[in-house]
Amino acid sequence: MIFIEPSIQLLKDHTDEPTKKMLHHLVERKRKYETYKSKCFKAQFLTFVLAMGFIVYLYAFIVKPTGGQLEMIFHYIFNGKYHILMVLLIVGGYGSAQYFKKKEEKAETEFHNLRCEVIRKSIELWPQPTHWKKRHEVFSLMKNEFDINLFHESK
């Protein structure tokens, strides 16, 4: 048996088991999307901090003391042990940010598609007039508890 969120499981007579599983998958996809979004932001932030730190270091300790002479600047940059390491760290951070951005976009698309499917199928999932009133309670729970809007398809 699949573990289903306790708050979704408490919707006993509001909906059937397949719908509960669908709602649970929706919550899982939302969490996956938020995880990749967070990882992407952290990678972008780290890359930005490293790049800015390296630029400040280059300016303060290489460009300024050499008086802006390009020959001396390149000499100091390419002879420094850790300069190449810093450049590789910045490039690696940028690559990680790009990787997580693609994963984030894919997870967002999956989440949005499943969310729209639940909205479109709501007529089938809550067919009778009495169930239709309970649909609003389920949608409110999803909005309040998991920040998933099932009232409208727009993002």
Side-chain angles (χ1 to χ4, degrees):
M1 186 172 161
I2 297 177
F3 169 77
I4 295 180
E5 290 289 326
S7 55
I8 294 174
Q9 197 63 38
L10 291 174
L11 296 171
K12 296 183 193 259
D13 61 337
H14 287 64
T15 186
D16 57 355
E17 281 301 312
T19 306
K20 288 178 187 175
K21 288 179 184 176
M22 185 182 272
L23 294 173
H24 176 71
H25 288 298
L26 188 62
V27 171
E28 285 180 337
R29 294 223 176 127
K30 167 84 178 205
R31 287 186 180 143
K32 182 179 174 183
Y33 163 64
E34 288 175 344
T35 300
Y36 281 125
K37 186 175 182 178
S38 172
K39 287 180 180 182
C40 179
F41 175 76
K42 289 175 185 175
Q44 288 172 336
F45 184 75
L46 179 65
T47 302
F48 177 75
V49 169
L50 285 174
M52 288 297 109
F54 190 57
I55 288 170
V56 168
Y57 164 79
L58 288 176
Y59 178 74
F61 295 103
I62 295 178
V63 174
K64 204 170 182 183
T66 59
Q69 297 175 358
L70 286 177
E71 184 179 307
M72 292 299 290
I73 292 171
F74 285 125
H75 174 73
Y76 283 123
I77 289 175
F78 290 115
N79 282 341
K81 297 180 199 179
Y82 299 107
H83 297 157
I84 301 295
L85 177 64
M86 280 303 293
V87 170
L88 289 175
L89 283 173
I90 292 168
V91 168
Y94 178 76
S96 296
Q98 291 299 101
Y99 171 78
F100 287 129
K101 187 66 177 173
K102 286 181 183 176
K103 289 285 199 175
E104 174 193 348
E105 289 171 354
K106 181 181 177 193
E108 181 183 21
T109 302
E110 290 174 353
F111 165 68
H112 184 66
N113 289 342
L114 183 58
R115 192 177 67 81
C116 289
E117 182 181 344
V118 170
I119 293 168
R120 279 186 235 114
K121 286 187 174 184
S122 64
I123 294 171
E124 298 169 21
L125 299 173
W126 291 276
Q128 301 165 354
T130 56
H131 286 96
W132 190 254
K133 291 176 185 175
K134 293 178 182 181
R135 175 183 83 75
H136 182 74
E137 294 174 25
V138 173
F139 283 14
S140 294
L141 171 94
M142 295 298 286
K143 177 69 176 162
N144 296 332
E145 182 108 8
F146 304 108
D147 194 30
I148 298 174
N149 184 4
L150 295 175
F151 291 105
H152 304 287
E153 282 191 32
S154 63
K155 290 184 180 182

